[in-house]
Amino acid sequence: MGANHIGPHAAERDMPHSYGRELMNHQIRAIMVSHNASIFTELAVRSLLANHNPPLKMALSLVDNASLDDTGALQAFLQQRSIPFLQSGFDTRSKYNSHGEILQKFVGENADCDYYLFLDHDVCFFHENVIHRLMSDLNKAGEDVFGINPGWADWYGNAYTRKHRPEDSIRRLHPFCALVKNTQLFRRVVAQFGFGQFDYEYANSV
């Protein structure tokens, strides 16, 4: 898969602590956040690129959260495909959810797209054109629906349904693999509230 389909210009890879880049408009701005999981991160990116034909019109950024494992092979793979490997600026001593703050900053710096794609580093694509199908379903859903997840399954292959995980399937759009429409309202909500856990009292009680 050609590098020109997925990443920024080579000169932009060295920008420190910034997830925004001066690029032409992309249909999708994608971000994957990683920490101490370079092998799984590479597998996630490879599976994303290999299972989408035609290639996604996407600019992908890999944001590392102060990993201590060997990222050499991962960085070499990303460089071959002109995908930036950026440091988040956070470390493991962050009090709350630095992942959410990374996504908040990414949205704030990247308004030149039609969709945002949020990915965890442990997601793996086995089926073809998942993101293409998510985009189609999202557009068919109407203006009241702002984002979409693919189906979930547990370690044993059992699909999550409303019966099994009502808190996920009804109230939560999980950024493990979430395609979201880029609207002014979405960016405003992200700027004001972010992606983190709002109710810390509830979070600390469970």
Side-chain angles (χ1 to χ4, degrees), residues 32 40-48 120-121 123-125:
M32 182 180 294
F40 298 104
T41 302
E42 183 176 339
L43 177 62
V45 177
R46 285 184 181 273
S47 71
L48 172 67
D120 280 353
H121 64 235
V123 68
C124 189
F125 293 87

Side-chain angles (χ1 to χ4, degrees), residues 8-45:
H9 302 295
E12 293 161 332
R13 288 198 297 267
D14 298 325
M15 294 181 64
H17 306 313
S18 178
Y19 321 142
R21 301 179 301 281
E22 293 296 329
L23 294 178
M24 62 182 293
N25 185 56
H26 287 269
Q27 187 176 30
I28 301 173
R29 286 282 194 175
I31 181 171
M32 182 180 294
V33 182
S34 178
H35 174 72
N36 283 355
S38 59
I39 295 176
F40 298 104
T41 302
E42 183 176 339
L43 177 62
V45 177

Side-chain angles (χ1 to χ4, degrees), residues 130-191:
V130 171
I131 305 304
H132 290 306
R133 285 184 282 169
L134 289 180
M135 190 182 304
S136 176
D137 290 346
L138 181 57
N139 290 331
K140 291 177 183 177
E143 296 182 358
D144 292 339
V145 179
F146 73 94
I148 189 171
N149 283 138
W152 286 39
D154 62 20
W155 295 109
Y156 305 101
N158 300 311
Y160 286 147
T161 64
R162 292 188 177 186
K163 180 179 179 181
H164 296 110
R165 292 289 293 272
E167 69 276 18
D168 286 329
S169 59
I170 297 177
R171 297 198 302 266
R172 188 181 187 193
L173 182 69
H174 196 292
F176 83 101
C177 179
L179 186 70
V180 178
K181 295 176 182 176
N182 177 11
T183 65
Q184 184 178 9
L185 176 59
F186 175 71
R187 295 196 307 272
R188 183 178 299 176
V189 170
V190 169

Side-chain angles (χ1 to χ4, degrees), residues 97 100-101 193-200:
N97 180 15
E101 292 178 288
F193 299 103
F195 286 83
Q197 174 65 54
F198 300 153
D199 188 351
Y200 291 116

